[in-house]
Structures are given as C-alpha cells and as structure tokens.
Amino acid sequence: MGSVSFLTLCFRSSICISIFSLAMAATPRKAIDVPFQKNYKPSWAEHHIKYINGGKEVHLTLDKSSGTGFQSKGSYLFGHFSMQIKMVPGDSAGTVTAFYLSSQNSEHDEIDFEFLGNKTGEPYIVQTNVFTGGKGDREQRIYLWFDPTKEYHSYAVLWNMYQIVFFVDDTPIRVFKNSKDLGVKFPFDQPMKIYSSLWNADDWATQGGRVKTDWSKAPFLASYRGFHIDGCEASVTAKLCATQGKKWWDQKVFRDLDGRQYRKLAWVRKKYTIDNYCTDRKRFAKMAPECVRDRDV
C-alpha cells in the first residue's frame, strides 16, 4: 500500500463512505430559507413588524407602547423547527426575544428558547425550558459563546417520540429525553404552534429584575430570517400524527445524539452553563429523575 493514506483508500471504498455517512447521520437536515408568509402570520401588534425584501427578513420592534409577535399558521406533532435570529443590539436589558413551541390547552406542552437581554458589553443569556402536562420548572441558562447581535445565527428544535434537542447553530445545548419509564411526562399527543415575540420583561429578565429597561434606547429591534418548518402538520384535536414513523426525524439515528454531539453538549455544560434546575438545591431538594439520562449533571 506504500504511502497511500487511509483517507484515500476510504474514499475508494463504498463501505467506508457508508461509515462516514453514519457518523454524520444524527445531524438534522439543513434548514430551507423561506419567506415569512409561507409558514407564519402576525399574532399581535402587527404594526411593530416590518417586512424586508418581500418577507425574506422580518424586524420586530419593542417600544414603551408595545412589543410584538408572530405564530405559525399550522400546528405540528414532531419535526424540525428553526429560526435565524439577530438579537437586540446594544443595551438590551429587560428585553426578551422568544422562540418557542406551545400547545393550546390548560395542561399545555411547551418547548422554549428565551434570549435575555443585558447591559452593553455583557453576554446574552439563553434560557431553555420544557413544559409537559402543564408542568415546567425545568429552566436552564447558558451564556452564548459569540455575540448574537452582530450577525444571524440559527436556533432550532428537533422533536420526536424519543427526544427533544435544542440546537444553537449545529451545537446541541440541551436534550430532553422521553423518560416516561421514570414517571416523567413527555410531549407526544398535543400539536403545537411555533411562536416568536419581542417583549419587555424587566421584572425578571436581567439580573432577576434588578436591571430595568432603559426606554431612552427604544425602539429595540430583533431581526429574523429563515422561517423553516419541517414538521408533521396536525389538527389541534389530533392525538397522533398521521405520518408518525415515516419522516426522517423518526428514524433510528435521530433517537439519540451521536458521540460528536454529546461531546459538544458536554463542552456547553462545562464552559457556559450558569443555571441548571438539575443542580439547584435551593429550589428543588431532590434532583429530577430525568437529569442523569439527559446528561444535565
């Protein structure tokens, strides 16, 4: 074989190519950029939404009179949902930019991204949470490892019968496994709509509410593009999606993270996690049963 490299031999071999494909198999499909109007509609304060380039980009604004928000036209049971967002720049203390999925009843299921603004020069905080059967209290907070106000970054949720994965770009920052065998409810039978909003939450968002919104900096602006939805659309009364088990996110390789993704998750846990309900003994005397399985500790 002489000096022929393993990689060269590998790419001559269909078997090895298959191995490389399997190694990347747990990466969600690439999001497709579509205009806002294809998948979404305003939900409140439409006059605070500005459409750029035919809806390929949308700006939400917050001032003292109002914030604003939008929602998906359809409801979904499982899928891959992503949004490219550029956060409020400068002094964004008190503001929250949200991207989340939520069902429509009292014992609701919900999958949350909330981006908490901060004083100029301080890092943005991402708060995630999962509600199942109306129960939440699963907050986790991390610092982002980049400035999310400078350019667009992708924030995505992969949701199937086995797990919910939160992604920042291609990095998983949180996993919530189906742990029904441990007595933990999992969202599987309530369709959800996708929502996004920009609003004032200075009673809690920045340093526990100690830092208030500086309205002299208004209007605050968050920018969006992408508007990708690849989900199983269902009626609000549907119990199970008609195509369950047939979509790409239902396949075996998406029932867990791969080794590379778990290493990235461990990196986020070690370097950037600042608040984790699994280790918060002031709020919870006993660790939740899903925490070890989800690799939160």
Side-chain angles (χ1 to χ4, degrees):
M1 293 186 183
S3 61
V4 177
S5 70
F6 169 77
L7 198 58
T8 302
L9 288 173
C10 208
F11 281 105
R12 291 176 185 170
S13 163
S14 60
I15 295 175
C16 207
I17 290 173
S18 296
I19 291 171
F20 270 94
S21 298
L22 285 171
M24 298 300 292
T27 301
R29 286 186 179 176
K30 183 176 176 61
I32 299 172
D33 291 348
V34 296
F36 173 87
Q37 293 88 343
K38 177 178 175 62
N39 290 322
Y40 289 94
K41 62 181 181 180
S43 52
W44 57 289
E46 184 175 3
H47 59 288
H48 277 56
I49 300 177
K50 184 178 181 180
Y51 304 93
I52 309 296
N53 194 16
K56 290 184 178 179
E57 185 175 337
V58 168
H59 294 171
L60 303 190
T61 58
L62 164 68
D63 58 29
K64 204 165 187 178
S65 69
S66 180
T68 187
F70 59 86
Q71 67 183 56
S72 62
K73 295 177 179 178
S75 298
Y76 301 88
L77 265 174
F78 313 120
H80 181 232
F81 313 95
S82 74
M83 195 78 68
Q84 294 179 43
I85 310 174
K86 188 160 49 175
M87 302 299 166
V88 175
D91 184 348
S92 57
T95 70
V96 173
T97 305
F99 169 49
Y100 62 102
L101 288 76
S102 182
S103 64
Q104 311 300 301
N105 51 38
S106 58
E107 288 196 0
H108 72 289
D109 297 332
E110 191 167 302
I111 303 167
D112 294 341
F113 272 109
E114 290 182 304
F115 304 90
L116 313 183
N118 224 323
K119 298 291 286 184
T120 303
E122 296 180 356
Y124 252 82
I125 292 172
V126 180
Q127 176 171 289
T128 59
N129 201 357
V130 178
F131 286 77
T132 58
K135 179 189 179 299
D137 293 330
R138 298 187 179 99
E139 297 92 344
Q140 294 182 1
R141 291 184 177 186
I142 69 166
Y143 286 131
L144 288 171
W145 49 94
F146 53 84
D147 185 343
T149 71
K150 297 297 185 185
E151 57 188 32
Y152 282 100
H153 289 268
S154 175
Y155 306 92
V157 170
L158 175 68
W159 170 37
N160 58 33
M161 281 288 294
Y162 305 94
Q163 63 177 355
I164 296 165
V165 187
F166 295 78
F167 288 94
V168 173
D169 294 325
D170 291 327
T171 298
I173 65 166
R174 182 173 185 177
V175 178
F176 185 79
K177 296 281 190 182
N178 187 336
S179 296
K180 290 189 72 176
D181 59 315
L182 302 178
V184 180
K185 290 185 178 181
F186 187 83
F188 74 94
D189 64 350
Q190 298 189 95
M192 299 198 219
K193 288 184 179 292
I194 303 103
Y195 299 87
S196 195
S197 58
L198 175 61
W199 53 291
N200 178 48
D202 66 2
D203 57 330
W204 65 269
T206 304
Q207 297 182 30
R210 291 188 296 275
V211 180
K212 302 299 184 181
T213 303
D214 183 352
W215 292 110
S216 70
K217 304 294 195 300
F220 303 99
L221 183 148
S223 304
Y224 293 76
R225 69 184 187 190
F227 308 111
H228 166 83
I229 292 177
D230 189 0
C232 184
E233 191 163 1
S235 73
V236 293
T237 58
K239 291 299 182 184
L240 289 173
C241 181
T243 58
Q244 185 182 359
K246 300 177 182 178
K247 295 293 189 177
W248 63 265
W249 58 79
D250 293 317
Q251 305 313 305
K252 187 174 182 179
V253 292
F254 294 102
R255 296 179 186 180
D256 200 356
L257 300 185
D258 61 23
R260 176 182 58 88
Q261 290 172 324
Y262 270 124
R263 288 191 292 273
K264 285 188 173 183
L265 180 62
W267 173 74
V268 171
R269 281 283 163 270
K270 183 177 179 180
K271 295 196 66 174
Y272 297 103
T273 298
I274 56 175
D275 190 18
N276 183 351
Y277 78 107
C278 288
T279 57
D280 189 346
R281 292 295 163 266
K282 291 182 179 179
R283 291 180 62 197
F284 308 104
K286 185 179 179 181
M287 186 171 67
E290 71 271 13
C291 289
V292 173
R293 180 175 289 175
D294 296 340
R295 303 200 185 187
D296 288 325
V297 291

